[in-house]
Amino acid sequence: MSVFAQLQGIMASALELPTEAIKETSSMEDIEEWDSLGHVHIMVALEQAFDLYMDVEDFAELDSVSAILRYLESQKAG
Amino acid sequence: MKLSEDQCNNLLAMQSAQEIKSLMAVRSMAPTLQQASKLRQHLETLDAPATPIRLGVVHTYTSELLDPWLHFGAALNQLNLDIYHAPYGTTVQEASRHSGLFKHTPDITLLLLTLEDLHPAFQIPKASIKGTDKPAIQDKAESVLKAIVHRFRDNIPGHIIVTVLPSMSSPGLGLYDDMAEQSENHWWSQIKTNVAGYLRADFRGVSYLDLDQLLMRHGRDNFFDARLWYSTVFPFSPLGALAVSNAVTTITAAIKQTRAKVIVVDADNTLWGGVIGEDGIDGIALGPDYPGRAFVDFQKRLLSLQQRGFILALCSKNNPDDLSEVLENHPHQLLKNEHFAAQRVNWLPKPDNLRAIAEELNLGLDSFIFVDDSDYECSAVRHSLSDVTVVQVPSRPTEIPGCLDAVARLEIVSLTAEDLEKTALYSQERMRKTQREQLTETGGSIDDYLRSLNMTMTVGLDDLRSVARLTQLTQKTNQFNLTTQRYSEKDVSGMITNEQFSVYHFSLADNFGNSGIVELAIAEQTAPGAARIDTFLMSCRVIGRLAEQAFLHTIVHNLTSRGVTALSADYIPTRKNVLVEHFLPDNGFTRMDDGSYYCELDGKQVILDKNFPINIEGPV
């Protein structure tokens, strides 16, 4: 499964949306459910799924699917 | 422990919510947010219908992040939540009839408070509070909490669960704290003990949920998440949020679902390891070594469940002689004959035995928990007795002692002296039955049996000391109950102090023991010379001993001596009280055109002259 497909599943369950609602171009601005609470759910779910420890500073920056994908890529590389 | 994808898929293949919940608890499995959402969807498709619950959350820290965990906990406990979160930081404002909380008409209100809400002094380090200031601060904090709970209790319907967030950091004095006179830990437990004490004494329908119990299970480092706390004022880690949600939904289930009363246990591979019929008394695993120690521990847990007020019964496919040899002679067997209110040791199908036990104890199968190691027996009971909660004993001995920890129906929200005596009362009943069988086999009559018991009925009238028990009787008695009026403690004490009402009760003692208070009757004087029986109910545990008739006879005597000549009564049929359908006509009452019953107390046709095999004592 591609990282994006995995991320789609994680975000969809965190925001209680169908998977199709999460697109590679999605960001906090265009998904209503992705509010500040939804964002925390996504961060928690990401940590659990990819076994990460994220800093509070990372939370704010990861406000779009592309930003999250870049972050996950950098974690894998690191 | 993390839940692997394989384990998660195993859970997703299971068809019983109780099975899923027990396994997760026994292995301390913590799902991820995504797994929890999948499991919730699966649980919601299982056939048992979920009970809808309206939950209101009043909070002084972020609470919305609990939602997915609350919904997951609810699904595990077969509940379906409609959650309302009060505006952030409001407390007493929500305890009004104009609040969003009131409009939500909650079944359960969860108060998430912090110590800082109760007294500003808690905002500075506790260790720096002077010893001489402490009592005043503590008094003030406790009275603030009491006032908050009062406001909610007075204005908001439903049950209230109170929590105070434990400290997220180690005590200010570090490892020395517990040694210090100004110990924070010590002070905190004192406050909690007092809070729980007055919530128990002064309030109805209020529970204190001690978050420390959850904190201890998981540890402070795992329970809280500093990042979420500092960035969003949400204190819990996902694991902590899951634990809190599980506890809240478990308490909710314990309140809302039919209360369990009986735990029926199997013997082989449940109370001990191995099979007594094959391994013999020296071969079964029970004692100080592995795996026997795990079984000894499980028996201890069963004894503590008995202390919580549950009745134990034994149901095993075995030769009765083999089994009683263990019960009587095994040096490490803790559960003896007297601990079991009923026993079925035979080769009959277990569902039949459960039905027989239900009949013997006079309790519905919906109050049964069935504990057995065998796949076959568990599915047989699940299949033919869907009201019974089935708990399958794990195959790993180390997991057996904790296997009943996660059963919501074994959680209690109150504990009375009667609860503690329950099994003793039932085993007395078993001895009575044996005596009756022995007497009737040798040609004795029922009357001979009743006389052989040497019964003494102690009647009480308008006794304020018994309010709690009398109220409990109006709440819990379904079968022998003419009118099924449910009363609160306030109602009952109101009637006791009101001249118009006479509140009678009795307890019944015999050669085998004392029943405690088992009957309540309330008579209201409606006009000079006229009275009406408002309530007449009796606990099923004394049925079949003519006590109800002797009691009615005593009341009639007492009312006659006060100048009552006309007595009316009602029978209000319900789904469960067909037992007393004929009680009034059988005892001299005439049915009137409007459906009520009437009895002229001039003596003749009434039961007044009957001679009962019961010695009656008391102020009446």
Side-chain angles (χ1 to χ4, degrees):
Chain A
M1 202 194 291
S2 75
V3 179
F4 171 65
Q6 229 180 321
L7 180 60
Q8 247 187 332
I10 292 163
M11 289 184 61
S13 75
L15 301 177
E16 297 190 18
L17 288 172
T19 26
E20 313 84 70
I22 314 296
K23 304 190 174 61
E24 274 183 272
T25 53
S26 301
S27 74
M28 240 179 135
E29 275 166 24
D30 49 49
I31 296 181
E32 200 195 325
E33 287 77 6
W34 192 350
D35 54 10
S36 55
L37 290 173
H39 191 60
V40 178
H41 287 316
I42 295 173
M43 297 299 114
V44 165
L46 280 180
E47 283 202 329
Q48 292 179 327
F50 294 100
D51 221 353
L52 304 167
Y53 183 88
M54 296 159 77
D55 289 321
V56 174
E57 285 70 17
D58 297 329
F59 290 181
E61 285 166 21
L62 303 178
D63 57 357
S64 67
V65 171
S66 55
I68 296 174
L69 285 172
R70 271 199 308 278
Y71 175 82
L72 291 175
E73 200 56 39
S74 71
Q75 292 297 308
K76 221 171 25 184
Chain B
M1 252 188 288
K2 267 199 237 168
L3 186 60
S4 72
E5 282 309 306
D6 281 353
Q7 285 171 323
C8 187
N9 289 334
N10 282 341
L11 293 174
L12 287 169
M14 290 179 161
Q15 294 305 311
S16 137
Q18 183 55 55
E19 219 180 328
I20 295 173
K21 191 182 178 202
S22 294
L23 187 65
M24 292 185 70
V26 159
R27 308 234 166 117
S28 305
M29 290 172 172
T32 65
L33 196 58
Q34 197 181 7
Q35 289 170 330
S37 137
K38 277 187 202 161
L39 286 165
R40 175 186 165 196
Q41 278 169 22
H42 170 64
L43 286 160
E44 286 171 355
T45 63
L46 298 180
D47 42 25
T51 313
I53 297 288
R54 306 179 64 81
L55 172 70
V57 184
V58 176
H59 51 111
T60 58
Y61 50 85
T62 304
S63 61
E64 290 84 352
L65 288 170
L66 283 173
D67 281 7
W69 305 106
L70 282 168
H71 285 299
F72 172 63
L76 276 180
N77 286 297
Q78 285 147 289
L79 307 170
N80 192 345
L81 294 183
D82 180 352
I83 309 177
Y84 162 81
H85 292 271
Y88 185 91
T90 55
T91 51
V92 285
Q93 299 90 316
E94 283 293 305
S96 91
R97 305 207 166 219
H98 308 288
S99 68
L101 178 66
F102 183 79
K103 282 197 200 84
H104 188 64
T105 56
D107 298 298
I108 306 281
T109 295
L110 174 63
L111 299 183
L112 299 174
L113 306 173
T114 67
L115 262 186
E116 289 79 357
D117 301 327
L118 307 180
H119 200 293
F122 291 117
Q123 286 161 9
I124 61 167
K126 289 186 205 65
S128 67
I129 297 172
K130 267 192 280 173
T132 46
D133 293 343
K134 275 186 168 180
I137 293 173
Q138 187 177 333
D139 276 358
K140 180 79 175 101
E142 286 173 15
S143 62
V144 168
L145 181 59
K146 212 168 168 174
I148 293 175
V149 177
H150 241 298
R151 287 280 284 275
F152 280 95
R153 183 63 301 166
D154 290 348
N155 293 305
I156 305 295
H159 195 93
I160 297 171
I161 301 175
V162 183
T163 66
V164 181
L165 190 69
S167 172
M168 290 179 63
S169 49
S170 319
L173 297 173
L175 294 175
Y176 182 70
D177 178 83
D178 294 285
M179 291 278 299
E181 214 182 316
Q182 59 272 53
S183 162
E184 272 174 46
N185 283 343
H186 178 65
W187 198 23
W188 172 230
S189 7
Q190 241 180 24
I191 295 174
K192 282 195 311 188
T193 312
N194 293 347
V195 166
Y198 61 67
L199 291 185
R200 185 174 62 230
D202 300 351
F203 294 95
R204 298 290 137 207
V206 178
S207 306
Y208 179 71
L209 168 61
D210 188 3
L211 298 181
D212 286 82
Q213 211 181 107
L214 313 175
L215 184 81
M216 254 184 242
R217 176 159 185 180
H218 300 286
R220 191 178 264 136
D221 293 347
N222 301 311
F223 192 69
F224 294 120
D225 188 316
R227 293 167 308 158
L228 298 180
W229 175 247
Y230 292 119
S231 63
T232 63
V233 204
F234 181 70
F236 307 115
S237 68
L239 186 68
L242 173 68
V244 171
S245 302
N246 262 338
V248 169
T249 50
T250 298
I251 294 176
T252 305
I255 294 165
K256 289 291 168 185
Q257 291 169 355
T258 324
R259 206 179 146 177
K261 293 176 181 166
V262 191
I263 305 171
V264 184
V265 289
D266 174 37
D268 291 330
N269 287 316
T270 298
L271 296 182
W272 51 77
V275 177
I276 181 66
E278 289 166 16
D279 302 322
I281 189 160
D282 300 321
I284 56 172
L286 183 68
D289 303 312
Y290 181 84
R293 326 172 27 158
F295 290 96
V296 174
D297 253 4
F298 185 49
Q299 294 202 19
K300 283 187 195 161
R301 302 274 190 114
L302 287 167
L303 282 171
S304 14
L305 284 164
Q306 192 174 63
Q307 289 297 303
R308 279 193 212 175
F310 295 95
I311 298 163
L312 301 181
L314 183 66
C315 180
S316 162
K317 282 186 177 163
N318 258 312
N319 291 321
D321 289 348
D322 290 346
L323 210 78
S324 40
E325 200 194 348
V326 183
L327 258 48
E328 284 159 27
N329 299 327
H330 196 291
H332 300 290
Q333 173 69 18
L334 295 174
L335 292 167
K336 311 278 185 191
N337 276 316
E338 69 261 28
H339 294 113
F340 295 109
Q343 296 187 20
R344 288 291 180 282
V345 182
N346 55 39
W347 301 93
L348 294 172
K350 294 218 172 179
D352 294 356
N353 277 329
L354 291 187
R355 282 194 201 97
I357 292 173
E359 203 168 306
E360 177 180 339
L361 299 176
N362 222 324
L363 292 168
L365 282 163
D366 58 357
S367 65
F368 276 51
I369 310 276
F370 175 71
V371 185
D372 202 299
D373 65 298
S374 138
D375 285 332
Y376 172 77
E377 304 295 356
C378 286
S379 66
V381 170
R382 265 195 206 108
H383 182 76
S384 48
L385 305 174
S386 57
D387 287 347
V388 175
T389 297
V390 175
V391 178
Q392 184 163 9
V393 176
S395 52
R396 293 180 188 161
T398 50
E399 291 174 353
I400 293 176
C403 77
L404 293 172
D405 288 3
V407 181
R409 300 183 66 211
L410 293 175
E411 291 293 340
I412 51 172
V413 286
S414 70
L415 194 61
T416 68
E418 291 282 330
D419 293 330
L420 301 177
E421 288 288 312
K422 224 182 273 171
T423 297
L425 295 170
Y426 279 99
S427 52
Q428 289 162 15
E429 190 54 37
R430 213 176 55 207
M431 293 189 279
R432 277 183 203 105
K433 199 179 154 199
T434 316
Q435 174 149 336
R436 190 177 67 216
E437 282 164 5
Q438 282 166 355
L439 258 173
T440 43
E441 269 167 31
T442 55
S445 67
I446 289 293
D447 203 48
D448 292 335
Y449 155 69
L450 291 174
R451 282 182 201 288
S452 75
L453 293 176
N454 285 321
M455 288 184 280
T456 298
M457 173 183 287
T458 306
V459 179
L461 173 59
D462 292 339
D463 178 9
L464 278 171
R465 286 165 307 175
S466 310
V467 170
R469 172 62 181 160
L470 297 177
T471 307
Q472 191 185 43
L473 279 172
T474 74
Q475 298 288 346
K476 284 169 65 168
T477 312
N478 296 317
Q479 300 182 57
F480 198 107
N481 195 337
L482 282 179
T483 55
T484 320
Q485 303 281 359
R486 311 291 191 195
Y487 289 122
S488 67
E489 295 199 352
K490 216 167 133 192
D491 298 331
V492 173
S493 53
M495 288 188 280
I496 287 177
T497 48
N498 185 335
E499 285 284 298
Q500 298 278 103
F501 289 88
S502 304
V503 179
Y504 303 90
H505 69 255
F506 76 74
S507 54
L508 191 65
D510 67 9
N511 287 346
F512 294 101
N514 191 326
S515 67
I517 295 174
V518 281
E519 163 120 18
L520 162 70
I522 302 172
E524 182 189 6
Q525 296 247 0
T526 46
R532 187 182 67 90
I533 296 179
D534 171 90
T535 295
F536 193 94
L537 62 81
M538 186 173 79
S539 160
C540 284
R541 72 168 76 116
V542 292
I543 269 174
R545 285 192 261 163
L546 298 181
E548 63 281 14
Q549 293 190 29
F551 186 57
L552 181 62
H553 162 92
T554 308
I555 294 173
V556 165
H557 249 309
N558 182 260
L559 291 171
T560 308
S561 73
R562 297 168 176 215
V564 173
T565 54
L567 184 60
S568 56
D570 294 293
Y571 165 64
I572 304 173
T574 67
R575 218 162 52 84
K576 289 190 164 174
N577 73 351
V578 62
L579 182 68
V580 288
E581 195 181 355
H582 302 296
F583 181 72
L584 290 167
D586 285 353
N587 287 287
F589 283 77
T590 315
R591 193 181 156 96
M592 309 304 282
D593 291 340
D594 64 355
S596 69
Y597 289 84
Y598 181 77
C599 179
E600 199 81 51
L601 299 192
D602 53 3
K604 277 118 209 151
Q605 86 276 41
V606 200
I607 48 165
L608 281 172
D609 49 352
K610 205 160 169 183
N611 194 8
F612 294 99
I614 302 175
N615 171 31
I616 299 170
E617 285 180 351
V620 178

